[in-house]
Amino acid sequence: MDNPPCIECGLCREVCPIFEVLRREHISPRGLAILAEEGIASPVFYQCTLCRACRTLCPVDHDPDGERLRARLVARGVETEANREMIANIRQHGNPFGPLEEGEIPKRLTCC
Amino acid sequence: MNLQPLCSVLGEQRVSTSIEDRLVYARDASRMRGECLAVVWPSSPEQVAFLVEWARQEAVDLVPRGAGTGLCGGAVPQRSVVVDLSHLNAIKSVEPEGKLVHVEAGVVLGTLNRRLEPAGLFLPVIPGSHRAAAIGGLIATDAAGLRAVRYGLMGNWVQSVTLVDGSGQVRHLSGKALGDVVGREGVTGFILEAILRLAPRPRERTVTIMAFDDEAALLAQRDRWLAEPALTALEYLNRHAAALIGWEPRHHLLAEFDSDQGEIEDPGQVRDLWRDRDGLYPQLARCGHPVIEDPQLSGPGLAELLRWLDQHAIPAFGHLGLGIVHPCFAFDDGRIETLYESVAAWGGRVSGEHGIGLKKRAWVDERHREEIRRLKQIYDPHDIINRGKLS
Ligand SMILES: Cc1cc2nc3c(=O)[nH]c(=O)nc-3n(C[C@H](O)[C@H](O)[C@H](O)COP(=O)(O)OP(=O)(O)OC[C@H]3O[C@@H](n4cnc5c(N)ncnc54)[C@H](O)[C@@H]3O)c2cc1C
Ligand code: SF4
Ligand code: SF4
C-alpha cells in the first residue's frame, strides 16, 4: 500500500510515547522518517513500539512502518541481544523465556 | 572541537555526535538542510551559561531549538552545535487569579493549554503547529496563528523572559526590553523561562464558512466580519488549495466567533474543522507544494496578492484577518522570487509570522540588518548564537 512520505512538520512529536520519555528528535516519528529516507539502518528503530499513535495524528497519513525498519536491521544482522535471545528461546523451547518447568513463572522477561 | 567539558557538566547522555542525531537535527520543518556538529540537551540555566562559555572558547556557533516546527530554517545549523531545549519543560506555577503562568522554554503549547483547561484559561496564540511548538520557539518567532485577529501575536502575552545571552549572563527582561527577544529568532540569546499572561477560555465557539468566485467579494466579506466584536478567527483558502484538499474549488473564508452567531454550532464539528485546518499545510506539502511562504499585506496590496496567486494557480491559505497569506510552492519554484519582489512593490512585509531565519535573509532590508547588528553588540558580541541568521 502507498505510504505518503513524511513532510517533516513535527506535529506528531507529542503523541509518540517514546519521544515523550526521551525527548530526542531521532526517536520521534519525524526522526525515524528522516533516518529511513537517508538510508540509515539504526538500532534506534528498535525503540519504536509500533503503536502507530503518530499515524492517527499525521495530517498526511505517513506510517513509520517500524516492522519494515526492523526488517532492514535484521537483514543487515543488526539485532539487540534481547531480541536474539528471545528468538533463540522460541526456536529451542517454544516460548520467549527459555527453559521453564511445568507451571513455572518466568524470572526474566526478554523483549526488544 | 573538544566536547569533554560538556560531557562532564551535562553528562555523557546529554551530548551526542551520533550520525542519527546529527542528521535529524540538521533540519527543521522548513526542509532546509544544514550541518550539525553535535547536539546537546541542557537541563538548567547554569548548563546553558556553561555551554555559551564553552562555545566562545571553541568559537563554535550554537543554535537554540524548540520543537523544530519553524518554517524558515531558524533552527537549522550551519556547522553548529544544536541546543535542544525540550528537557526544560516544567510548568513552574499557575496563578489563576492573576491569569499568569510561569513556564520553562521547552513546554509545548498544546500541553500547556491542556493543563490550563480546568482553570478555564488558555494561552490564546494558536498557530497551526500548536500541538508541537514550544514556548521558547513561539516567543522567538513572535508566532501569530489562527486567533491572532482577536488576540494578537505571542509577544502580547509575554510578561517577562529569562534569557542567557551570548556572554553567558542571565538576564530577566520585561517591558520595553522584551522587544530585544520577542521575534528575534534567538539571535540575542537562549530564552529559558517566561511568565505569560493568559486569557479566559471562551464558553462557545461557532463557525461560518462562505465560498466566493472572486477576490473582491471575498475581501468585502472579510471587512464586514472584521467589524464583528465576537470574531476570533478569520481564515482563508483559495480555490487552488481548496481543489487540492477535496473542497469545492472556490475561494473560502472561515470565520469563528465566541458567540452563537456562526452557522456551525456543534462543538465536535468545530473541533474537527480546526483539526483539518491545522493539517492544511501538510496536505498541500503532500500534494507537491512543500515550500510555504508568509507575506503580510493590507489594503490594495492584499487584493493584488490574492489576484496574482489566483492567476498563477498557486495554492494559498492564511490568516486573512491579519493579511498574512501562505502561498505554497514546489521546491525551487522561480515564482517565489517574483512573489517577494511583488510584495515589496505592493508595500508588504516578507514575513508575517514565520520569521526570516536562513530562508528569507536575501529579502531583509538594510535598516533591519543594522538593528540586528546593534542587538548583537549588546547581547552576543562574540556572535556565537544563531550566527548568520536574520541578516
Ligand atoms: C504545520 C505547521 C503550521 C504552522 N502554523 C503556524 C502559524 O499558524 N503561525 C505561526 O506563527 N507559525 C506557524 N508555524 C511555524 C512554527 O510552528 C512557529 O514558528 C513556532 O513558533 C516555532 O516553534 P518551535 O518551538 O518549533 O521553534 P523552532 O522551530 O525550534 O525554532 C524557531 C526559531 O526560534 C529559535 N528558538 C527556539 N527556541 C528558542 C529559545 N528557547 N530561545 C531562543 N531562541 C529559540 C530557533 O533558533 C529558531 O530561530 C507552523 C509550522 C507548521 C509545521
Ligand atoms: S510523520 Fe506525519 S505528522 Fe509526523 S512529522 Fe512526518 S508528516 Fe508530520
Ligand atoms: S509508532 Fe513508533 S514512532 Fe509512531 S508514535 Fe508509536 S512509538 Fe512513536
Side-chain angles (χ1 to χ4, degrees), chain B residues 109-110 113 122-130 133 135 138-139 142-148 151-158 197 199 353:
Chain B
L109 175 58
N113 275 339
F122 77 137
L123 180 66
V125 181
I126 312 289
S129 53
H130 62 101
I135 297 299
L138 293 160
I139 296 175
D142 199 10
L146 306 177
R147 304 222 160 82
Y151 296 102
L153 309 188
M154 183 69 188
N156 291 3
W157 300 90
V158 181
R197 291 187 275 271
E353 58 177 11

Coordinates of all heavy atoms in Angstrom, one line a residue, chain B residues 109-110 113 122-130 133 135 138-139 142-148 151-158 197 199 353:
Chain B
L109 N 3.1 24.1 23.7 CA 1.8 24.9 23.8 C 0.6 24.1 24.0 O -0.2 24.4 24.9 CB 1.7 25.8 22.5 CG 0.4 26.6 22.4 CD1 0.2 27.6 23.6 CD2 0.4 27.4 21.1
G110 N 0.5 23.0 23.3 CA -0.7 22.1 23.4 C -0.8 21.5 24.8 O -1.9 21.5 25.4
N113 N -1.9 24.3 27.3 CA -3.3 24.6 27.2 C -4.2 23.5 27.8 O -5.2 23.8 28.4 CB -3.7 25.0 25.8 CG -3.4 26.5 25.5 OD1 -3.3 27.3 26.5 ND2 -3.3 26.9 24.3
F122 N -6.5 29.9 28.9 CA -5.6 29.4 27.9 C -4.7 30.5 27.4 O -4.9 31.7 27.6 CB -6.4 28.8 26.8 CG -7.1 29.7 25.8 CD1 -7.1 29.4 24.4 CD2 -7.8 30.8 26.2 CE1 -7.7 30.2 23.5 CE2 -8.4 31.7 25.2 CZ -8.4 31.4 23.9
L123 N -3.6 30.0 26.8 CA -2.7 31.0 26.1 C -3.3 31.0 24.6 O -3.3 30.0 23.9 CB -1.3 30.4 26.0 CG -0.3 31.3 25.3 CD1 -0.1 32.6 26.1 CD2 1.1 30.6 25.2
P124 N -3.9 32.2 24.3 CA -4.7 32.2 23.0 C -3.9 32.3 21.7 O -4.6 32.6 20.7 CB -5.6 33.4 23.3 CG -4.8 34.3 24.1 CD -3.8 33.5 24.9
V125 N -2.6 32.1 21.7 CA -1.9 32.2 20.5 C -1.9 30.8 19.9 O -1.3 29.9 20.5 CB -0.4 32.6 20.7 CG1 0.4 32.7 19.4 CG2 -0.4 34.0 21.5
I126 N -2.6 30.6 18.8 CA -2.8 29.2 18.3 C -2.3 29.0 16.9 O -3.1 29.1 15.9 CB -4.3 28.8 18.4 CG1 -4.9 29.1 19.8 CG2 -4.4 27.3 18.1 CD1 -4.4 28.2 20.9
P127 N -1.0 28.8 16.7 CA -0.5 28.5 15.3 C -1.0 27.1 14.9 O -1.4 26.3 15.8 CB 1.0 28.6 15.5 CG 1.3 28.3 16.9 CD 0.1 28.8 17.7
G128 N -0.9 26.9 13.6 CA -1.3 25.5 13.1 C -0.5 24.4 13.8 O -0.9 23.3 13.8
S129 N 0.6 24.8 14.3 CA 1.6 23.8 15.0 C 1.4 23.7 16.5 O 2.3 23.3 17.1 CB 3.0 24.2 14.6 OG 3.1 25.6 15.0
H130 N 0.2 24.2 17.0 CA 0.1 24.4 18.5 C 0.3 23.1 19.2 O 0.7 23.1 20.4 CB -1.2 25.0 18.8 CG -2.4 24.2 18.4 ND1 -3.1 23.5 19.3 CD2 -3.0 24.1 17.2 CE1 -4.1 22.9 18.7 NE2 -4.0 23.2 17.4
A133 N 4.6 23.0 18.9 CA 5.6 24.1 19.1 C 5.8 24.4 20.5 O 4.9 24.2 21.4 CB 5.1 25.3 18.3
I135 N 7.2 26.9 23.8 CA 7.1 28.3 24.2 C 8.3 29.1 23.8 O 8.1 30.2 23.2 CB 6.9 28.4 25.8 CG1 5.6 27.7 26.2 CG2 6.9 29.9 26.2 CD1 4.3 28.3 25.6
L138 N 8.0 29.9 20.1 CA 6.9 30.8 19.9 C 7.2 32.2 20.2 O 6.9 33.1 19.5 CB 5.6 30.4 20.7 CG 5.0 29.0 20.3 CD1 4.1 28.5 21.4 CD2 4.2 29.2 19.0
I139 N 8.0 32.4 21.3 CA 8.4 33.8 21.7 C 9.5 34.2 20.7 O 9.4 35.4 20.2 CB 9.0 33.8 23.1 CG1 7.9 33.4 24.1 CG2 9.6 35.2 23.4 CD1 8.4 33.3 25.6
D142 N 7.8 35.2 17.6 CA 6.6 36.0 17.8 C 5.4 35.5 17.0 O 4.9 36.2 16.1 CB 6.9 37.5 17.4 CG 5.8 38.5 18.0 OD1 5.1 38.0 18.9 OD2 5.8 39.6 17.7
A143 N 5.1 34.2 17.2 CA 4.2 33.5 16.4 C 2.8 34.2 16.4 O 2.4 34.8 17.4 CB 4.1 32.1 16.9
A144 N 2.1 34.0 15.3 CA 0.7 34.5 15.2 C -0.2 33.3 15.2 O -0.3 32.6 16.2 CB 0.6 35.3 13.9
G145 N -0.9 33.1 14.1 CA -1.7 31.9 14.1 C -3.2 32.2 14.0 O -3.6 33.3 13.7
L146 N -4.0 31.2 14.2 CA -5.4 31.2 13.8 C -6.2 32.3 14.6 O -7.2 32.8 14.0 CB -6.0 29.9 14.1 CG -5.3 28.7 13.5 CD1 -5.9 27.4 13.8 CD2 -5.3 28.9 11.9
R147 N -5.9 32.6 15.8 CA -6.7 33.5 16.5 C -6.1 34.9 16.7 O -6.5 35.7 17.5 CB -7.1 32.9 17.9 CG -7.7 31.5 17.7 CD -8.9 31.3 18.6 NE -9.7 30.2 18.1 CZ -9.5 28.9 18.3 NH1 -8.4 28.6 19.0 NH2 -10.3 28.0 17.8
A148 N -5.0 35.2 16.0 CA -4.3 36.4 16.1 C -5.2 37.6 15.8 O -4.9 38.7 16.3 CB -3.0 36.4 15.3
Y151 N -6.5 38.0 19.3 CA -5.7 38.0 20.5 C -4.3 38.6 20.2 O -3.5 38.7 21.1 CB -5.5 36.6 21.0 CG -6.8 36.1 21.6 CD1 -7.6 35.1 20.8 CD2 -7.3 36.4 22.8 CE1 -8.8 34.6 21.3 CE2 -8.5 35.9 23.3 CZ -9.2 35.0 22.5 OH -10.4 34.5 23.0
G152 N -4.0 38.8 18.9 CA -2.7 39.4 18.6 C -1.6 38.3 18.6 O -1.9 37.1 18.6
L153 N -0.3 38.7 18.5 CA 0.8 37.8 18.4 C 1.3 37.4 19.8 O 0.9 37.9 20.8 CB 2.0 38.5 17.7 CG 1.7 39.2 16.4 CD1 3.0 39.6 15.7 CD2 0.9 38.3 15.4
M154 N 2.2 36.4 19.8 CA 2.7 35.8 21.0 C 3.3 36.9 22.0 O 3.0 36.9 23.2 CB 3.9 34.8 20.7 CG 4.4 34.1 21.9 SD 3.3 33.0 22.6 CE 4.2 32.5 24.1
G155 N 3.9 37.9 21.4 CA 4.5 39.0 22.2 C 3.5 39.7 23.1 O 3.9 40.1 24.2
N156 N 2.3 39.7 22.7 CA 1.2 40.4 23.5 C 1.0 39.7 24.9 O 0.4 40.2 25.8 CB -0.1 40.3 22.9 CG -0.2 41.2 21.6 OD1 0.8 41.8 21.3 ND2 -1.4 41.3 21.0
W157 N 1.4 38.4 24.9 CA 1.1 37.6 26.1 C 2.3 37.3 27.0 O 2.3 36.5 27.9 CB 0.5 36.2 25.6 CG -0.8 36.6 24.9 CD1 -0.9 36.9 23.5 CD2 -2.1 36.9 25.4 NE1 -2.1 37.3 23.2 CE2 -2.9 37.3 24.4 CE3 -2.6 36.8 26.7 CZ2 -4.2 37.7 24.6 CZ3 -3.9 37.2 26.9 CH2 -4.7 37.6 25.8
V158 N 3.5 37.9 26.6 CA 4.7 37.7 27.4 C 4.9 38.8 28.4 O 4.9 40.0 28.1 CB 5.9 37.6 26.5 CG1 7.2 37.4 27.3 CG2 5.8 36.5 25.4
R197 N 1.0 35.8 30.2 CA -0.4 36.2 30.5 C -1.4 35.2 29.9 O -1.0 34.7 28.8 CB -0.7 37.7 30.1 CG 0.1 38.7 30.9 CD -0.4 40.1 30.5 NE 0.3 40.5 29.3 CZ 1.5 41.2 29.2 NH1 2.1 41.5 30.4 NH2 2.0 41.5 28.1
A199 N -5.7 34.2 28.9 CA -7.0 34.7 28.6 C -8.0 33.7 29.1 O -7.8 32.5 29.2 CB -7.1 34.9 27.1
E353 N 4.8 36.0 10.0 CA 4.8 35.2 11.2 C 5.9 34.2 11.3 O 6.3 33.9 12.4 CB 3.4 34.6 11.5 CG 3.0 33.6 10.4 CD 1.7 32.9 10.7 OE1 1.0 33.2 11.6 OE2 1.4 31.9 9.9

